[in-house]
Amino acid sequence: MLAQRDCLAAAAGQIQDLEGVVLELGLGNGRSYDHLRELLPQRDIYVFDRRVASHPDCVPEDRFLFLGEILETLPKANAQLGRGAVLAHCDFGSGRAGHDADVARQLALELTPLIVAGGVVVSDQQLASNQLKPMPLPDGVPLDRYFMYTAV
Ligand SMILES: C[S@@+](CC[C@H](N)C(=O)[O-])C[C@H]1O[C@@H](n2cnc3c(N)ncnc32)[C@H](O)[C@@H]1O
């Protein structure tokens, strides 16, 4: 959780001069969504999950929700938002390594067209894409605990 917070804070600094929205992939109980709202109060935050099961204080407005399988809703988000996101936070890990790696492989392809050049992707899973360049992690974040990329 500390690693996630440090990475999101670093990403918020990195994108401060870019215009665009934020994507939260994996609402869960809404903890990191809440943190993003605090860090980036001026940004629209679009949220992806199969369903809303977050703390009642952390429920996004319907217009900011993409509900369903991420790999199906990302193309819909692309059609709606285009290349308009400055930050994506991916937190969809299930703890099943093989499954998560499969999703991450496909997700990287669907996600990158939404990220503006210079935008940042913070992820709980390693992502592989020619359009995503690995970034150094904040001090104290262990390698392979969290991942950060900048879009080219
Ligand atoms: C680890 S939790 C997210 C925790 C959240 N970021 C927080 O801080 O409270 C992972 C979430 O990702 C969602 N998820 C995982 N795989 C998904 C998929 N393929 N499509 C849609 N949602 C998915 C799960 O439903 C779950 O709510």
Side-chain angles (χ1 to χ4, degrees):
M1 185 174 147
L2 280 179
Q4 180 192 79
R5 289 184 75 85
D6 288 350
C7 290
L8 291 178
Q14 179 88 10
I15 55 137
Q16 61 187 350
D17 294 329
L18 297 176
E19 281 192 22
V21 304
V22 173
L23 310 178
E24 165 79 331
L25 292 93
L27 175 64
N29 67 24
R31 193 191 60 228
S32 53
Y33 169 66
D34 194 41
H35 187 215
L36 283 169
R37 285 192 305 193
E38 279 175 26
L39 281 172
L40 300 163
Q42 76 285 16
R43 305 269 186 185
D44 287 344
I45 304 175
Y46 289 85
V47 177
F48 298 71
D49 208 310
R50 296 189 175 101
R51 68 191 75 82
V52 173
S54 52
H55 187 280
D57 291 342
C58 302
V59 176
E61 290 176 41
D62 283 353
R63 67 195 170 109
F64 293 119
L65 277 171
F66 285 97
L67 294 184
E69 286 297 311
I70 293 174
L71 296 176
E72 293 172 14
T73 52
L74 273 172
K76 293 178 187 169
N78 193 2
Q80 181 179 322
L81 304 172
R83 198 177 188 194
V86 285
L87 170 62
H89 174 223
C90 304
D91 190 16
F92 56 88
S94 66
R96 291 175 289 147
H99 171 81
D100 290 343
D102 280 349
V103 176
R105 195 160 33 248
Q106 297 174 70
L107 178 139
L109 300 175
E110 300 293 349
L111 175 62
T112 47
L114 282 96
I115 311 296
V116 303
V120 175
V121 178
V122 175
S123 178
D124 68 333
Q125 308 293 320
Q126 194 162 15
L127 302 176
S129 162
N130 291 338
Q131 274 79 50
L132 294 178
K133 190 173 130 215
M135 283 173 63
L137 295 168
D139 286 348
V141 175
L143 284 180
D144 293 343
R145 172 66 193 82
Y146 239 68
F147 303 89
M148 292 183 69
Y149 305 91
T150 189
V152 294

